[in-house]
């Protein structure tokens, strides 16, 4: 139990801007306990979804803006740096070494600007879609998308391979494929948040699918994962999950 508490504290400290007491060993507990990812997903998803509760009292654009601001107030913007670095690496011409060099470069290029813009606008439009849904459905989809995003990050740590020393290897070296059982069990209840409607389940799966995009690209073009790819996956997975949930609720 002490190890799990330490893992959750470490996850909150790394994945969010929420105040949490820090103790020695929390980081080590977090990186070797992938189940902490979806636990924090439930917490951050619920807090970020609070502006959606006002959907019946405020205009949809205002609620969408509130959701966007809440997401970044809770999770911070440091993961967006991964989106920027991935955007620059996507547009550069060259081999694996050249792409890795660009990924670590602090210079902001046109690829970074475009990638961040699409991600932020995509989340805002997803928030606008949520604002048009029944309140309970909107909140459930937002939570499920966040849990799915964190579950996808846990999968990256359990099944992925790091391309070089760094933050990515901290996670991939701390978990094994069998370690994914625990985070899957922890995240599974999120699929029932809109039961019997499948929107929450589709939002969760959509988030995992969204994470698969940078994961696949990094494996193929970078030789493996890095901390920037984890950060980018966190942002892309959320956008994909929210949109998948909204589309599912609208069409099914």
């Amino acid at each position: 139990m002490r190890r799990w508490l330490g893992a959750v504290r470490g996850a909150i400290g790394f994945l969010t801007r929420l105040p949490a007491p820090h103790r020695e060993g929390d980081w080590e507990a977090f990186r070797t306990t992938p189940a902490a990812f979806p636990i924090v997903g439930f917490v951050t998803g619920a807090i970020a979804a609070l502006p959606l509760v006002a959907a019946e009292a405020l205009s949809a654009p205002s609620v969408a803006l509130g959701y966007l601001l809440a997401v970044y107030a809770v999770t911070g913007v440091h993961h967006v740096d991964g989106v920027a670095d991935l955007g620059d690496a996507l547009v550069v011409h060259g081999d694996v070494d050249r792409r890795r060099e660009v990924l670590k470069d602090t210079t902001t290029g046109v690829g970074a600007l475009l990638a961040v813009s699409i991600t932020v606008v995509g989340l805002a439009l997803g928030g606008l879609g949520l604002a048009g849904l029944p309140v309970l459905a909107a909140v459930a989809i937002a939570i499920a998308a966040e849990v799915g995003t964190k579950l996808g990050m846990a999968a990256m740590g359990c099944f992925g391979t790091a391309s070089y020393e760094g933050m990515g290897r901290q996670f991939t070296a701390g978990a094994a494929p069998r370690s994914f059982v625990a985070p899957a069990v922890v995240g599974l209840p999120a699929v029932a948040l809109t039961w019997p409607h499948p929107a929450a389940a589709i939002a969760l799966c959509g988030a995992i699918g969204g994470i698969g995009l940078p994961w696949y690209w990094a494996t193929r073009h970078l030789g493996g994962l890095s901390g920037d790819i984890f950060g980018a996956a966190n942002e892309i997975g959320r956008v994909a999950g929210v949109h998948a949930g909204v589309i599912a609720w609208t069409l099914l």
Side-chain angles (χ1 to χ4, degrees), residues 45-187:
I47 296 174
L50 287 176
L52 299 173
V53 177
E56 295 180 353
L58 301 176
S59 67
S62 297
V63 173
L65 177 60
Y67 171 68
L68 180 70
L69 295 176
V71 166
Y72 290 119
V74 173
T75 65
V77 298
H78 58 289
H79 299 295
V80 180
D81 181 64
V83 176
D85 290 336
L86 176 60
D88 279 338
L90 279 169
V91 301
V92 72
H93 296 285
D95 57 11
V96 171
D97 290 336
R98 174 57 179 156
R99 290 184 186 277
R100 289 180 180 176
E101 180 183 347
V102 171
L103 197 70
K104 294 185 289 184
D105 193 349
T106 57
T107 303
T108 301
V110 64
L113 294 174
L114 181 60
V116 171
S117 297
I118 291 174
T119 301
V120 174
V121 170
L123 185 60
L125 292 175
L128 188 62
L130 290 174
L133 303 184
V135 170
L136 292 181
V139 170
I141 289 170
I143 294 173
E146 198 69 37
V147 173
T149 299
K150 301 305 186 286
L151 187 58
M153 295 177 75
M156 290 173 67
C158 294
F159 298 102
T161 302
S163 54
Y164 47 84
E165 291 292 339
M167 187 66 69
R169 183 159 294 178
Q170 289 283 317
F171 291 118
T172 59
R178 65 178 181 276
S179 304
F180 188 67
V181 174
V185 171
V186 171

Side-chain angles (χ1 to χ4, degrees), residues 189-210:
V191 305
L193 291 175
T194 55
W195 183 262
H197 199 285
I202 293 174
L204 185 142
C205 293
I208 295 174

